[in-house]
PDB file of all heavy atoms in Angstrom:
ATOM      1  N   LEU Q   1      42.918  71.533  56.394  1.00  0.00           N
ATOM      2  CA  LEU Q   1      42.015  72.578  56.876  1.00  0.00           C
ATOM      3  C   LEU Q   1      41.056  72.023  57.918  1.00  0.00           C
ATOM      4  O   LEU Q   1      40.439  70.980  57.713  1.00  0.00           O
ATOM      5  CB  LEU Q   1      41.220  73.126  55.681  1.00  0.00           C
ATOM      6  CG  LEU Q   1      40.082  74.096  55.932  1.00  0.00           C
ATOM      7  CD1 LEU Q   1      40.592  75.410  56.515  1.00  0.00           C
ATOM      8  CD2 LEU Q   1      39.322  74.344  54.626  1.00  0.00           C
ATOM      9  N   VAL Q   2      40.944  72.751  59.041  1.00  0.00           N
ATOM     10  CA  VAL Q   2      39.952  72.453  60.077  1.00  0.00           C
ATOM     11  C   VAL Q   2      39.120  73.713  60.260  1.00  0.00           C
ATOM     12  O   VAL Q   2      39.677  74.786  60.499  1.00  0.00           O
ATOM     13  CB  VAL Q   2      40.614  72.071  61.423  1.00  0.00           C
ATOM     14  CG1 VAL Q   2      39.566  71.919  62.521  1.00  0.00           C
ATOM     15  CG2 VAL Q   2      41.438  70.796  61.278  1.00  0.00           C
ATOM     16  N   LEU Q   3      37.814  73.587  60.141  1.00  0.00           N
ATOM     17  CA  LEU Q   3      36.936  74.735  60.314  1.00  0.00           C
ATOM     18  C   LEU Q   3      36.191  74.643  61.634  1.00  0.00           C
ATOM     19  O   LEU Q   3      35.770  73.572  62.057  1.00  0.00           O
ATOM     20  CB  LEU Q   3      35.948  74.834  59.154  1.00  0.00           C
ATOM     21  CG  LEU Q   3      36.609  75.129  57.802  1.00  0.00           C
ATOM     22  CD1 LEU Q   3      35.573  75.111  56.690  1.00  0.00           C
ATOM     23  CD2 LEU Q   3      37.336  76.455  57.835  1.00  0.00           C
ATOM     24  N   ILE Q   4      36.062  75.806  62.276  1.00  0.00           N
ATOM     25  CA  ILE Q   4      35.360  75.923  63.556  1.00  0.00           C
ATOM     26  C   ILE Q   4      34.283  76.980  63.383  1.00  0.00           C
ATOM     27  O   ILE Q   4      34.559  78.066  62.871  1.00  0.00           O
ATOM     28  CB  ILE Q   4      36.341  76.350  64.672  1.00  0.00           C
ATOM     29  CG1 ILE Q   4      37.449  75.309  64.828  1.00  0.00           C
ATOM     30  CG2 ILE Q   4      35.595  76.565  65.983  1.00  0.00           C
ATOM     31  CD1 ILE Q   4      38.564  75.743  65.759  1.00  0.00           C
ATOM     32  N   THR Q   5      33.077  76.667  63.819  1.00  0.00           N
ATOM     33  CA  THR Q   5      31.992  77.629  63.654  1.00  0.00           C
ATOM     34  C   THR Q   5      30.845  77.331  64.625  1.00  0.00           C
ATOM     35  O   THR Q   5      30.774  76.250  65.190  1.00  0.00           O
ATOM     36  CB  THR Q   5      31.456  77.608  62.200  1.00  0.00           C
ATOM     37  OG1 THR Q   5      30.499  78.644  62.039  1.00  0.00           O
ATOM     38  CG2 THR Q   5      30.839  76.271  61.864  1.00  0.00           C
ATOM     39  N   ALA Q   6      29.983  78.298  64.760  1.00  0.00           N
ATOM     40  CA  ALA Q   6      28.771  78.104  65.554  1.00  0.00           C
ATOM     41  C   ALA Q   6      27.598  77.719  64.650  1.00  0.00           C
ATOM     42  O   ALA Q   6      26.489  77.500  65.124  1.00  0.00           O
ATOM     43  CB  ALA Q   6      28.446  79.386  66.315  1.00  0.00           C
ATOM     44  N   TYR Q   7      27.860  77.632  63.342  1.00  0.00           N
ATOM     45  CA  TYR Q   7      26.783  77.422  62.371  1.00  0.00           C
ATOM     46  C   TYR Q   7      26.954  76.102  61.633  1.00  0.00           C
ATOM     47  O   TYR Q   7      27.972  75.865  60.987  1.00  0.00           O
ATOM     48  CB  TYR Q   7      26.768  78.572  61.350  1.00  0.00           C
ATOM     49  CG  TYR Q   7      26.726  79.923  62.019  1.00  0.00           C
ATOM     50  CD1 TYR Q   7      27.896  80.659  62.205  1.00  0.00           C
ATOM     51  CD2 TYR Q   7      25.533  80.455  62.495  1.00  0.00           C
ATOM     52  CE1 TYR Q   7      27.867  81.898  62.831  1.00  0.00           C
ATOM     53  CE2 TYR Q   7      25.504  81.684  63.124  1.00  0.00           C
ATOM     54  CZ  TYR Q   7      26.673  82.401  63.290  1.00  0.00           C
ATOM     55  OH  TYR Q   7      26.641  83.619  63.913  1.00  0.00           O
ATOM     56  N   GLU Q   8      25.937  75.265  61.679  1.00  0.00           N
ATOM     57  CA  GLU Q   8      25.986  73.971  61.004  1.00  0.00           C
ATOM     58  C   GLU Q   8      25.837  74.084  59.493  1.00  0.00           C
ATOM     59  O   GLU Q   8      26.326  73.234  58.755  1.00  0.00           O
ATOM     60  CB  GLU Q   8      24.875  73.060  61.543  1.00  0.00           C
ATOM     61  CG  GLU Q   8      25.070  72.646  62.971  1.00  0.00           C
ATOM     62  CD  GLU Q   8      23.934  71.780  63.476  1.00  0.00           C
ATOM     63  OE1 GLU Q   8      22.955  71.543  62.741  1.00  0.00           O
ATOM     64  OE2 GLU Q   8      24.035  71.334  64.635  1.00  0.00           O
ATOM     65  N   HIS Q   9      25.178  75.118  59.008  1.00  0.00           N
ATOM     66  CA  HIS Q   9      24.804  75.170  57.595  1.00  0.00           C
ATOM     67  C   HIS Q   9      25.969  75.411  56.627  1.00  0.00           C
ATOM     68  O   HIS Q   9      25.776  75.381  55.425  1.00  0.00           O
ATOM     69  CB  HIS Q   9      23.693  76.205  57.365  1.00  0.00           C
ATOM     70  CG  HIS Q   9      24.073  77.612  57.684  1.00  0.00           C
ATOM     71  ND1 HIS Q   9      23.982  78.119  58.958  1.00  0.00           N
ATOM     72  CD2 HIS Q   9      24.545  78.605  56.906  1.00  0.00           C
ATOM     73  CE1 HIS Q   9      24.383  79.385  58.944  1.00  0.00           C
ATOM     74  NE2 HIS Q   9      24.726  79.698  57.715  1.00  0.00           N
ATOM     75  N   TYR Q  10      27.183  75.604  57.119  1.00  0.00           N
ATOM     76  CA  TYR Q  10      28.339  75.756  56.236  1.00  0.00           C
ATOM     77  C   TYR Q  10      29.039  74.429  55.952  1.00  0.00           C
ATOM     78  O   TYR Q  10      30.009  74.382  55.209  1.00  0.00           O
ATOM     79  CB  TYR Q  10      29.366  76.707  56.860  1.00  0.00           C
ATOM     80  CG  TYR Q  10      28.947  78.153  56.886  1.00  0.00           C
ATOM     81  CD1 TYR Q  10      28.590  78.763  58.087  1.00  0.00           C
ATOM     82  CD2 TYR Q  10      28.930  78.925  55.727  1.00  0.00           C
ATOM     83  CE1 TYR Q  10      28.222  80.097  58.125  1.00  0.00           C
ATOM     84  CE2 TYR Q  10      28.569  80.256  55.757  1.00  0.00           C
ATOM     85  CZ  TYR Q  10      28.213  80.840  56.965  1.00  0.00           C
ATOM     86  OH  TYR Q  10      27.853  82.153  57.002  1.00  0.00           O
ATOM     87  N   ALA Q  11      28.580  73.347  56.527  1.00  0.00           N
ATOM     88  CA  ALA Q  11      29.300  72.073  56.453  1.00  0.00           C
ATOM     89  C   ALA Q  11      29.532  71.597  55.024  1.00  0.00           C
ATOM     90  O   ALA Q  11      30.642  71.198  54.675  1.00  0.00           O
ATOM     91  CB  ALA Q  11      28.563  71.007  57.262  1.00  0.00           C
ATOM     92  N   ILE Q  12      28.528  71.630  54.191  1.00  0.00           N
ATOM     93  CA  ILE Q  12      28.685  71.139  52.821  1.00  0.00           C
ATOM     94  C   ILE Q  12      29.717  71.973  52.069  1.00  0.00           C
ATOM     95  O   ILE Q  12      30.604  71.432  51.404  1.00  0.00           O
ATOM     96  CB  ILE Q  12      27.329  71.118  52.085  1.00  0.00           C
ATOM     97  CG1 ILE Q  12      26.442  70.053  52.723  1.00  0.00           C
ATOM     98  CG2 ILE Q  12      27.517  70.855  50.595  1.00  0.00           C
ATOM     99  CD1 ILE Q  12      25.027  70.029  52.231  1.00  0.00           C
ATOM    100  N   LYS Q  13      29.633  73.285  52.205  1.00  0.00           N
ATOM    101  CA  LYS Q  13      30.608  74.141  51.542  1.00  0.00           C
ATOM    102  C   LYS Q  13      32.016  73.882  52.094  1.00  0.00           C
ATOM    103  O   LYS Q  13      32.988  73.884  51.351  1.00  0.00           O
ATOM    104  CB  LYS Q  13      30.229  75.617  51.724  1.00  0.00           C
ATOM    105  CG  LYS Q  13      31.010  76.550  50.846  1.00  0.00           C
ATOM    106  CD  LYS Q  13      30.426  77.954  50.864  1.00  0.00           C
ATOM    107  CE  LYS Q  13      31.154  78.851  49.888  1.00  0.00           C
ATOM    108  NZ  LYS Q  13      30.618  80.206  49.885  1.00  0.00           N
ATOM    109  N   ALA Q  14      32.116  73.626  53.383  1.00  0.00           N
ATOM    110  CA  ALA Q  14      33.415  73.351  54.004  1.00  0.00           C
ATOM    111  C   ALA Q  14      34.064  72.119  53.392  1.00  0.00           C
ATOM    112  O   ALA Q  14      35.267  72.120  53.090  1.00  0.00           O
ATOM    113  CB  ALA Q  14      33.238  73.159  55.509  1.00  0.00           C
ATOM    114  N   PHE Q  15      33.300  71.092  53.188  1.00  0.00           N
ATOM    115  CA  PHE Q  15      33.870  69.870  52.641  1.00  0.00           C
ATOM    116  C   PHE Q  15      34.158  69.982  51.146  1.00  0.00           C
ATOM    117  O   PHE Q  15      34.995  69.250  50.626  1.00  0.00           O
ATOM    118  CB  PHE Q  15      33.005  68.658  52.990  1.00  0.00           C
ATOM    119  CG  PHE Q  15      33.114  68.344  54.457  1.00  0.00           C
ATOM    120  CD1 PHE Q  15      32.055  68.587  55.309  1.00  0.00           C
ATOM    121  CD2 PHE Q  15      34.297  67.852  54.992  1.00  0.00           C
ATOM    122  CE1 PHE Q  15      32.171  68.335  56.669  1.00  0.00           C
ATOM    123  CE2 PHE Q  15      34.425  67.598  56.346  1.00  0.00           C
ATOM    124  CZ  PHE Q  15      33.363  67.841  57.186  1.00  0.00           C
ATOM    125  N   LYS Q  16      33.533  70.918  50.471  1.00  0.00           N
ATOM    126  CA  LYS Q  16      33.898  71.190  49.076  1.00  0.00           C
ATOM    127  C   LYS Q  16      35.306  71.770  48.988  1.00  0.00           C
ATOM    128  O   LYS Q  16      35.957  71.672  47.962  1.00  0.00           O
ATOM    129  CB  LYS Q  16      32.876  72.120  48.418  1.00  0.00           C
ATOM    130  CG  LYS Q  16      31.567  71.425  48.133  1.00  0.00           C
ATOM    131  CD  LYS Q  16      30.593  72.315  47.419  1.00  0.00           C
ATOM    132  CE  LYS Q  16      29.313  71.539  47.178  1.00  0.00           C
ATOM    133  NZ  LYS Q  16      28.310  72.298  46.451  1.00  0.00           N
ATOM    134  N   TYR Q  17      35.759  72.374  50.078  1.00  0.00           N
ATOM    135  CA  TYR Q  17      37.128  72.891  50.153  1.00  0.00           C
ATOM    136  C   TYR Q  17      38.051  71.879  50.849  1.00  0.00           C
ATOM    137  O   TYR Q  17      39.131  72.243  51.289  1.00  0.00           O
ATOM    138  CB  TYR Q  17      37.153  74.231  50.887  1.00  0.00           C
ATOM    139  CG  TYR Q  17      36.701  75.377  50.022  1.00  0.00           C
ATOM    140  CD1 TYR Q  17      35.368  75.769  49.999  1.00  0.00           C
ATOM    141  CD2 TYR Q  17      37.605  76.062  49.209  1.00  0.00           C
ATOM    142  CE1 TYR Q  17      34.953  76.818  49.198  1.00  0.00           C
ATOM    143  CE2 TYR Q  17      37.192  77.103  48.404  1.00  0.00           C
ATOM    144  CZ  TYR Q  17      35.868  77.476  48.402  1.00  0.00           C
ATOM    145  OH  TYR Q  17      35.443  78.518  47.599  1.00  0.00           O
ATOM    146  N   SER Q  18      37.614  70.643  50.939  1.00  0.00           N
ATOM    147  CA  SER Q  18      38.406  69.546  51.503  1.00  0.00           C
ATOM    148  C   SER Q  18      38.774  69.742  52.965  1.00  0.00           C
ATOM    149  O   SER Q  18      39.876  69.383  53.384  1.00  0.00           O
ATOM    150  CB  SER Q  18      39.666  69.314  50.662  1.00  0.00           C
ATOM    151  OG  SER Q  18      39.332  69.003  49.338  1.00  0.00           O
ATOM    152  N   ALA Q  19      37.867  70.293  53.739  1.00  0.00           N
ATOM    153  CA  ALA Q  19      38.115  70.420  55.175  1.00  0.00           C
ATOM    154  C   ALA Q  19      38.269  69.022  55.768  1.00  0.00           C
ATOM    155  O   ALA Q  19      37.485  68.126  55.473  1.00  0.00           O
ATOM    156  CB  ALA Q  19      36.974  71.164  55.857  1.00  0.00           C
ATOM    157  N   ILE Q  20      39.275  68.862  56.607  1.00  0.00           N
ATOM    158  CA  ILE Q  20      39.513  67.578  57.270  1.00  0.00           C
ATOM    159  C   ILE Q  20      38.499  67.382  58.399  1.00  0.00           C
ATOM    160  O   ILE Q  20      38.068  66.278  58.672  1.00  0.00           O
ATOM    161  CB  ILE Q  20      40.947  67.519  57.836  1.00  0.00           C
ATOM    162  CG1 ILE Q  20      41.981  67.641  56.722  1.00  0.00           C
ATOM    163  CG2 ILE Q  20      41.177  66.257  58.669  1.00  0.00           C
ATOM    164  CD1 ILE Q  20      42.063  66.487  55.773  1.00  0.00           C
ATOM    165  N   ASP Q  21      38.127  68.487  59.061  1.00  0.00           N
ATOM    166  CA  ASP Q  21      37.151  68.393  60.139  1.00  0.00           C
ATOM    167  C   ASP Q  21      36.365  69.693  60.221  1.00  0.00           C
ATOM    168  O   ASP Q  21      36.787  70.731  59.704  1.00  0.00           O
ATOM    169  CB  ASP Q  21      37.836  68.100  61.477  1.00  0.00           C
ATOM    170  CG  ASP Q  21      36.968  67.236  62.386  1.00  0.00           C
ATOM    171  OD1 ASP Q  21      35.728  67.267  62.260  1.00  0.00           O
ATOM    172  OD2 ASP Q  21      37.541  66.530  63.232  1.00  0.00           O
ATOM    173  N   TYR Q  22      35.213  69.618  60.869  1.00  0.00           N
ATOM    174  CA  TYR Q  22      34.275  70.730  61.005  1.00  0.00           C
ATOM    175  C   TYR Q  22      33.780  70.697  62.435  1.00  0.00           C
ATOM    176  O   TYR Q  22      32.987  69.831  62.797  1.00  0.00           O
ATOM    177  CB  TYR Q  22      33.129  70.518  60.009  1.00  0.00           C
ATOM    178  CG  TYR Q  22      32.146  71.647  59.870  1.00  0.00           C
ATOM    179  CD1 TYR Q  22      32.362  72.659  58.947  1.00  0.00           C
ATOM    180  CD2 TYR Q  22      30.980  71.679  60.631  1.00  0.00           C
ATOM    181  CE1 TYR Q  22      31.439  73.679  58.784  1.00  0.00           C
ATOM    182  CE2 TYR Q  22      30.061  72.706  60.485  1.00  0.00           C
ATOM    183  CZ  TYR Q  22      30.295  73.694  59.556  1.00  0.00           C
ATOM    184  OH  TYR Q  22      29.394  74.702  59.390  1.00  0.00           O
ATOM    185  N   LEU Q  23      34.310  71.587  63.264  1.00  0.00           N
ATOM    186  CA  LEU Q  23      33.988  71.582  64.687  1.00  0.00           C
ATOM    187  C   LEU Q  23      32.981  72.680  65.019  1.00  0.00           C
ATOM    188  O   LEU Q  23      33.147  73.818  64.580  1.00  0.00           O
ATOM    189  CB  LEU Q  23      35.259  71.802  65.514  1.00  0.00           C
ATOM    190  CG  LEU Q  23      36.411  70.827  65.242  1.00  0.00           C
ATOM    191  CD1 LEU Q  23      37.624  71.218  66.078  1.00  0.00           C
ATOM    192  CD2 LEU Q  23      35.998  69.402  65.510  1.00  0.00           C
ATOM    193  N   LEU Q  24      31.981  72.314  65.795  1.00  0.00           N
ATOM    194  CA  LEU Q  24      30.997  73.299  66.235  1.00  0.00           C
ATOM    195  C   LEU Q  24      31.409  73.875  67.581  1.00  0.00           C
ATOM    196  O   LEU Q  24      31.878  73.149  68.463  1.00  0.00           O
ATOM    197  CB  LEU Q  24      29.611  72.665  66.343  1.00  0.00           C
ATOM    198  CG  LEU Q  24      28.958  72.279  65.013  1.00  0.00           C
ATOM    199  CD1 LEU Q  24      27.654  71.550  65.263  1.00  0.00           C
ATOM    200  CD2 LEU Q  24      28.725  73.507  64.145  1.00  0.00           C
ATOM    201  N   LYS Q  25      31.255  75.191  67.715  1.00  0.00           N
ATOM    202  CA  LYS Q  25      31.559  75.866  68.980  1.00  0.00           C
ATOM    203  C   LYS Q  25      30.505  75.520  70.006  1.00  0.00           C
ATOM    204  O   LYS Q  25      29.347  75.336  69.643  1.00  0.00           O
ATOM    205  CB  LYS Q  25      31.601  77.389  68.774  1.00  0.00           C
ATOM    206  CG  LYS Q  25      32.781  77.844  67.961  1.00  0.00           C
ATOM    207  CD  LYS Q  25      32.757  79.354  67.816  1.00  0.00           C
ATOM    208  CE  LYS Q  25      33.928  79.850  66.994  1.00  0.00           C
ATOM    209  NZ  LYS Q  25      33.921  81.297  66.843  1.00  0.00           N
ATOM    210  N   PRO Q  26      30.832  75.446  71.248  1.00  0.00           N
ATOM    211  CA  PRO Q  26      32.173  75.631  71.797  1.00  0.00           C
ATOM    212  C   PRO Q  26      32.986  74.348  71.636  1.00  0.00           C
ATOM    213  O   PRO Q  26      32.479  73.246  71.853  1.00  0.00           O
ATOM    214  CB  PRO Q  26      31.917  75.922  73.281  1.00  0.00           C
ATOM    215  CG  PRO Q  26      30.633  75.207  73.585  1.00  0.00           C
ATOM    216  CD  PRO Q  26      29.837  75.242  72.306  1.00  0.00           C
ATOM    217  N   ILE Q  27      34.249  74.499  71.241  1.00  0.00           N
ATOM    218  CA  ILE Q  27      35.105  73.331  71.066  1.00  0.00           C
ATOM    219  C   ILE Q  27      35.808  73.014  72.377  1.00  0.00           C
ATOM    220  O   ILE Q  27      35.839  73.838  73.284  1.00  0.00           O
ATOM    221  CB  ILE Q  27      36.151  73.548  69.947  1.00  0.00           C
ATOM    222  CG1 ILE Q  27      37.124  74.663  70.316  1.00  0.00           C
ATOM    223  CG2 ILE Q  27      35.475  73.806  68.629  1.00  0.00           C
ATOM    224  CD1 ILE Q  27      38.393  74.652  69.492  1.00  0.00           C
ATOM    225  N   ASN Q  28      36.357  71.812  72.444  1.00  0.00           N
ATOM    226  CA  ASN Q  28      37.151  71.446  73.613  1.00  0.00           C
ATOM    227  C   ASN Q  28      38.495  70.894  73.138  1.00  0.00           C
ATOM    228  O   ASN Q  28      38.692  70.647  71.942  1.00  0.00           O
ATOM    229  CB  ASN Q  28      36.399  70.460  74.514  1.00  0.00           C
ATOM    230  CG  ASN Q  28      36.082  69.153  73.820  1.00  0.00           C
ATOM    231  OD1 ASN Q  28      36.953  68.504  73.262  1.00  0.00           O
ATOM    232  ND2 ASN Q  28      34.813  68.756  73.850  1.00  0.00           N
ATOM    233  N   LEU Q  29      39.394  70.712  74.064  1.00  0.00           N
ATOM    234  CA  LEU Q  29      40.747  70.262  73.741  1.00  0.00           C
ATOM    235  C   LEU Q  29      40.731  68.933  72.998  1.00  0.00           C
ATOM    236  O   LEU Q  29      41.429  68.765  72.001  1.00  0.00           O
ATOM    237  CB  LEU Q  29      41.593  70.152  75.017  1.00  0.00           C
ATOM    238  CG  LEU Q  29      43.007  69.586  74.860  1.00  0.00           C
ATOM    239  CD1 LEU Q  29      43.835  70.452  73.934  1.00  0.00           C
ATOM    240  CD2 LEU Q  29      43.681  69.439  76.215  1.00  0.00           C
ATOM    241  N   HIS Q  30      39.928  68.003  73.453  1.00  0.00           N
ATOM    242  CA  HIS Q  30      39.902  66.675  72.837  1.00  0.00           C
ATOM    243  C   HIS Q  30      39.467  66.745  71.366  1.00  0.00           C
ATOM    244  O   HIS Q  30      40.063  66.103  70.506  1.00  0.00           O
ATOM    245  CB  HIS Q  30      38.984  65.743  73.638  1.00  0.00           C
ATOM    246  CG  HIS Q  30      38.957  64.346  73.117  1.00  0.00           C
ATOM    247  ND1 HIS Q  30      40.046  63.504  73.180  1.00  0.00           N
ATOM    248  CD2 HIS Q  30      37.975  63.646  72.503  1.00  0.00           C
ATOM    249  CE1 HIS Q  30      39.729  62.344  72.632  1.00  0.00           C
ATOM    250  NE2 HIS Q  30      38.474  62.402  72.215  1.00  0.00           N
ATOM    251  N   GLU Q  31      38.414  67.515  71.085  1.00  0.00           N
ATOM    252  CA  GLU Q  31      37.944  67.662  69.693  1.00  0.00           C
ATOM    253  C   GLU Q  31      39.032  68.262  68.807  1.00  0.00           C
ATOM    254  O   GLU Q  31      39.260  67.788  67.690  1.00  0.00           O
ATOM    255  CB  GLU Q  31      36.722  68.579  69.635  1.00  0.00           C
ATOM    256  CG  GLU Q  31      35.444  67.989  70.137  1.00  0.00           C
ATOM    257  CD  GLU Q  31      34.316  69.009  70.060  1.00  0.00           C
ATOM    258  OE1 GLU Q  31      34.523  70.190  70.379  1.00  0.00           O
ATOM    259  OE2 GLU Q  31      33.217  68.585  69.677  1.00  0.00           O
ATOM    260  N   LEU Q  32      39.678  69.309  69.307  1.00  0.00           N
ATOM    261  CA  LEU Q  32      40.723  69.957  68.520  1.00  0.00           C
ATOM    262  C   LEU Q  32      41.902  69.009  68.314  1.00  0.00           C
ATOM    263  O   LEU Q  32      42.445  68.924  67.215  1.00  0.00           O
ATOM    264  CB  LEU Q  32      41.184  71.255  69.191  1.00  0.00           C
ATOM    265  CG  LEU Q  32      42.188  72.076  68.384  1.00  0.00           C
ATOM    266  CD1 LEU Q  32      41.593  72.523  67.050  1.00  0.00           C
ATOM    267  CD2 LEU Q  32      42.639  73.287  69.181  1.00  0.00           C
ATOM    268  N   GLN Q  33      42.263  68.275  69.334  1.00  0.00           N
ATOM    269  CA  GLN Q  33      43.360  67.322  69.226  1.00  0.00           C
ATOM    270  C   GLN Q  33      43.049  66.259  68.165  1.00  0.00           C
ATOM    271  O   GLN Q  33      43.891  65.951  67.327  1.00  0.00           O
ATOM    272  CB  GLN Q  33      43.621  66.652  70.574  1.00  0.00           C
ATOM    273  CG  GLN Q  33      44.752  65.639  70.527  1.00  0.00           C
ATOM    274  CD  GLN Q  33      45.024  65.006  71.878  1.00  0.00           C
ATOM    275  OE1 GLN Q  33      44.275  65.196  72.834  1.00  0.00           O
ATOM    276  NE2 GLN Q  33      46.097  64.258  71.958  1.00  0.00           N
ATOM    277  N   LEU Q  34      41.846  65.717  68.190  1.00  0.00           N
ATOM    278  CA  LEU Q  34      41.465  64.717  67.193  1.00  0.00           C
ATOM    279  C   LEU Q  34      41.498  65.285  65.774  1.00  0.00           C
ATOM    280  O   LEU Q  34      41.947  64.622  64.837  1.00  0.00           O
ATOM    281  CB  LEU Q  34      40.075  64.151  67.503  1.00  0.00           C
ATOM    282  CG  LEU Q  34      39.978  63.267  68.747  1.00  0.00           C
ATOM    283  CD1 LEU Q  34      38.516  62.866  68.998  1.00  0.00           C
ATOM    284  CD2 LEU Q  34      40.856  62.039  68.631  1.00  0.00           C
ATOM    285  N   ALA Q  35      41.033  66.519  65.628  1.00  0.00           N
ATOM    286  CA  ALA Q  35      41.039  67.155  64.310  1.00  0.00           C
ATOM    287  C   ALA Q  35      42.466  67.348  63.806  1.00  0.00           C
ATOM    288  O   ALA Q  35      42.768  67.062  62.636  1.00  0.00           O
ATOM    289  CB  ALA Q  35      40.307  68.498  64.375  1.00  0.00           C
ATOM    290  N   ILE Q  36      43.347  67.824  64.664  1.00  0.00           N
ATOM    291  CA  ILE Q  36      44.741  68.032  64.263  1.00  0.00           C
ATOM    292  C   ILE Q  36      45.414  66.691  63.965  1.00  0.00           C
ATOM    293  O   ILE Q  36      46.189  66.578  63.009  1.00  0.00           O
ATOM    294  CB  ILE Q  36      45.508  68.841  65.328  1.00  0.00           C
ATOM    295  CG1 ILE Q  36      44.966  70.274  65.373  1.00  0.00           C
ATOM    296  CG2 ILE Q  36      47.009  68.847  65.035  1.00  0.00           C
ATOM    297  CD1 ILE Q  36      45.526  71.136  66.495  1.00  0.00           C
ATOM    298  N   GLU Q  37      45.105  65.658  64.741  1.00  0.00           N
ATOM    299  CA  GLU Q  37      45.664  64.332  64.469  1.00  0.00           C
ATOM    300  C   GLU Q  37      45.211  63.808  63.109  1.00  0.00           C
ATOM    301  O   GLU Q  37      45.983  63.163  62.400  1.00  0.00           O
ATOM    302  CB  GLU Q  37      45.289  63.354  65.581  1.00  0.00           C
ATOM    303  CG  GLU Q  37      46.067  63.600  66.857  1.00  0.00           C
ATOM    304  CD  GLU Q  37      45.588  62.767  68.043  1.00  0.00           C
ATOM    305  OE1 GLU Q  37      44.598  61.991  67.898  1.00  0.00           O
ATOM    306  OE2 GLU Q  37      46.207  62.890  69.115  1.00  0.00           O
ATOM    307  N   LYS Q  38      43.966  64.083  62.716  1.00  0.00           N
ATOM    308  CA  LYS Q  38      43.502  63.711  61.379  1.00  0.00           C
ATOM    309  C   LYS Q  38      44.332  64.421  60.321  1.00  0.00           C
ATOM    310  O   LYS Q  38      44.702  63.834  59.300  1.00  0.00           O
ATOM    311  CB  LYS Q  38      42.030  64.100  61.184  1.00  0.00           C
ATOM    312  CG  LYS Q  38      41.039  63.225  61.852  1.00  0.00           C
ATOM    313  CD  LYS Q  38      39.625  63.718  61.495  1.00  0.00           C
ATOM    314  CE  LYS Q  38      38.586  63.195  62.416  1.00  0.00           C
ATOM    315  NZ  LYS Q  38      37.256  63.755  62.101  1.00  0.00           N
TER     316      LYS Q  38
END
């Protein structure tokens, strides 16, 4: 799971669901690529 959001305050809940990465908007190609590679 990779989560993308404009809000930082969901991070702890995201990792409780074992998110591999948590990207803040606006995302770019490099960030998404690194997250998918993880």
Side-chain angles (χ1 to χ4, degrees):
L1 172 65
V2 174
L3 294 176
I4 300 172
T5 186
Y7 307 98
E8 292 178 357
H9 63 275
Y10 289 108
I12 292 173
K13 192 169 185 180
F15 289 109
K16 287 183 180 182
Y17 282 92
S18 301
I20 298 292
D21 213 333
Y22 188 89
L23 305 177
L24 291 175
K25 290 181 180 180
I27 64 163
N28 62 53
L29 175 61
H30 183 68
E31 286 179 319
L32 185 61
Q33 180 179 9
L34 291 175
I36 292 173
E37 286 172 358
K38 284 183 198 176

